[in-house]
Amino acid sequence: MELWPWLTAALLLLLLLVQLSRTARFYAKVGLYCVLCVSFSAVASIVCLLRHGGRTVENMSIISWFVRSFKYVYGLRFEVTGRSKLDVDGPCVIISNHQSILDMIGLMEILPKRCVQIAKRELLFTGPVGLIMYLGGVYFINRQRARTAMTVMSDLGDLMVKDNLKVWIYPEGTRNDNGDLLPFKKGAFYLAIQAQVPIIPVVYSSFSSFYNVKTRLFTSGTIRVQVLDAVPTNGLTDADVTQLVDTCYQSMRDAFLQLSKTPQENSDVNEPAIVPAQ
C-alpha cells in the first residue's frame, strides 16, 4: 500500500490547520522550536568539539551564533539599552527575569564574553541539548538536594574569580509569565558576596503581547532589554543578603513594568498634564 498519498494528505491537513487555527499555529511553532534546539545543538556540538576539543566557556560564542539565528525564524526583534554595561573586565554575576522557552534567545542576544549559566541538573540529560550545554561550560545544580547545590555554588564562586568568568543566573528559579516578577531566591546573591563581585541586573520586557501559553498566542514581536547599573558587593557579608535581594528586586521590577508598557502607555505617562486656564 502506497503511503505517500496519506502522508501528503496529512501534511496538507496540517498546513490547513496551521492557517485556520491559532492553537495549531502555536503548537506548530513550539514544535519547530524544539526541533531547532535539538538539531542545532547536535551540529553545534560537533563544531565545538572540532574547534576546542571539549568543555570550555569559549564554546559559548559558537552556541550564541547558532541560537541567535532563531530570532529570524520567529520574527523577533530586540531593542537593547545599556549593553556596554556587560563589558566589564572582571568577573560578575548577571541576573535576569525568566519568562519562557524564548529566554534562551534573549540571553544569547546579549551574552558577554566568558559567561556561563547556572541550570537545573535535569537539562544535562536532554540529549544533544544537554551535551551542548555541558560543552559550553554550563554549571548544573540539583535543586532537590540543597546541600549539593550549595557546594556547587561555593566551588563556582572560587572558580569564577580564578578563571575570570561571568555567571548568568535566573533568581526567580523558574519560568514566570504572570506579568510580574516572582520573589528572588538568594543563591545568586550569596555567590556574588562570596566572590566579592558586582551584580549586573538585566531586564526583559513581557512577552505576553506575542507569546502566551494560556491563549496559545505565538507571533512575531519586539523584546525590549535594559541592562541596569552594576550593584557592588565589596565589603558585604552574608548578613547583607536580604537587603541586597530587595534592592535588586525592586530596581528590576520597576524596569520590567516600565519596559512592558506599550508605547502609548509610556507616552501617556511622560506627557505633561494640561492645566485648565484660570
Side-chain angles (χ1 to χ4, degrees):
M1 182 178 177
E2 289 290 339
L3 291 178
W4 285 113
W6 292 101
L7 292 175
T8 302
L11 179 59
L12 290 174
L13 179 60
L14 177 61
L15 292 174
L16 180 62
L17 286 174
V18 167
Q19 292 298 319
L20 296 179
S21 168
R22 185 163 83 173
T23 298
R25 287 197 299 272
F26 175 85
Y27 284 114
K29 289 186 175 182
V30 171
L32 175 61
Y33 185 87
C34 295
V35 170
L36 288 175
C37 286
V38 173
S39 57
F40 276 46
S41 293
V43 175
S45 295
I46 296 173
V47 176
C48 289
L49 288 170
L50 292 175
R51 182 75 179 273
H52 296 120
R55 176 178 169 88
T56 170
V57 67
E58 301 300 333
N59 283 327
M60 287 308 305
S61 61
I62 298 172
I63 299 170
S64 175
W65 184 87
F66 276 96
V67 174
R68 280 184 283 119
S69 66
F70 288 18
K71 66 183 178 183
Y72 302 111
V73 177
Y74 289 97
L76 300 178
R77 294 179 62 252
F78 289 88
E79 296 178 354
V80 184
T81 58
R83 187 194 296 264
S84 61
K85 296 175 184 177
L86 293 173
D87 297 329
V88 295
D89 292 331
C92 65
V93 172
I94 303 170
I95 57 175
S96 67
N97 52 317
H98 193 16
Q99 299 182 70
S100 76
I101 58 175
L102 302 181
D103 288 336
M104 180 178 64
I105 306 175
L107 183 154
M108 294 301 174
E109 180 70 17
I110 63 171
L111 188 77
K113 294 180 179 179
R114 300 197 61 76
C115 182
V116 298
Q117 295 83 51
I118 300 291
K120 59 184 179 182
R121 185 172 179 270
E122 292 84 348
L123 292 175
L124 179 58
F125 306 103
T126 53
V129 175
L131 174 60
I132 195 60
M133 293 176 73
Y134 173 81
L135 291 174
V138 171
Y139 282 84
F140 299 92
I141 59 173
N142 188 341
R143 296 189 298 189
Q144 306 304 318
R145 297 184 178 180
R147 180 169 296 181
T148 302
M150 290 174 61
T151 300
V152 172
M153 294 292 278
S154 178
D155 293 343
L156 182 56
D158 296 332
L159 188 64
M160 65 186 296
V161 174
K162 175 185 175 183
D163 292 348
N164 190 26
L165 296 175
K166 299 176 178 65
V167 179
W168 192 300
I169 302 176
Y170 296 112
E172 291 173 284
T174 189
R175 296 173 190 165
N176 164 45
D177 60 355
N178 68 1
D180 205 338
L181 301 187
L182 294 176
F184 286 174
K185 300 182 183 299
K186 296 181 177 179
F189 304 91
Y190 278 116
L191 176 63
I193 287 177
Q194 174 196 333
Q196 292 288 283
V197 299
I199 296 174
I200 303 180
V202 177
V203 183
Y204 294 84
S205 61
S206 173
F207 298 168
S208 60
S209 63
F210 62 88
Y211 180 87
N212 191 312
V213 176
K214 296 176 182 176
T215 62
R216 304 296 187 265
L217 173 68
F218 197 168
T219 64
S220 58
T222 298
I223 301 168
R224 302 180 185 90
V225 187
Q226 184 174 356
V227 183
L228 305 183
D229 292 335
V231 180
T233 65
N234 292 334
L236 298 185
T237 67
D238 288 353
D240 300 302
V241 164
T242 299
Q243 181 59 49
L244 183 61
V245 171
D246 291 343
T247 298
C248 293
Y249 179 87
Q250 194 57 56
S251 63
M252 289 180 67
R253 184 173 186 268
D254 290 344
F256 173 75
L257 295 177
Q258 184 64 30
L259 287 171
S260 299
K261 291 179 180 178
T262 64
Q264 180 60 44
E265 287 175 325
N266 280 324
S267 65
D268 290 343
V269 171
N270 295 327
E271 191 174 288
I274 298 176
V275 180
Q278 300 295 323

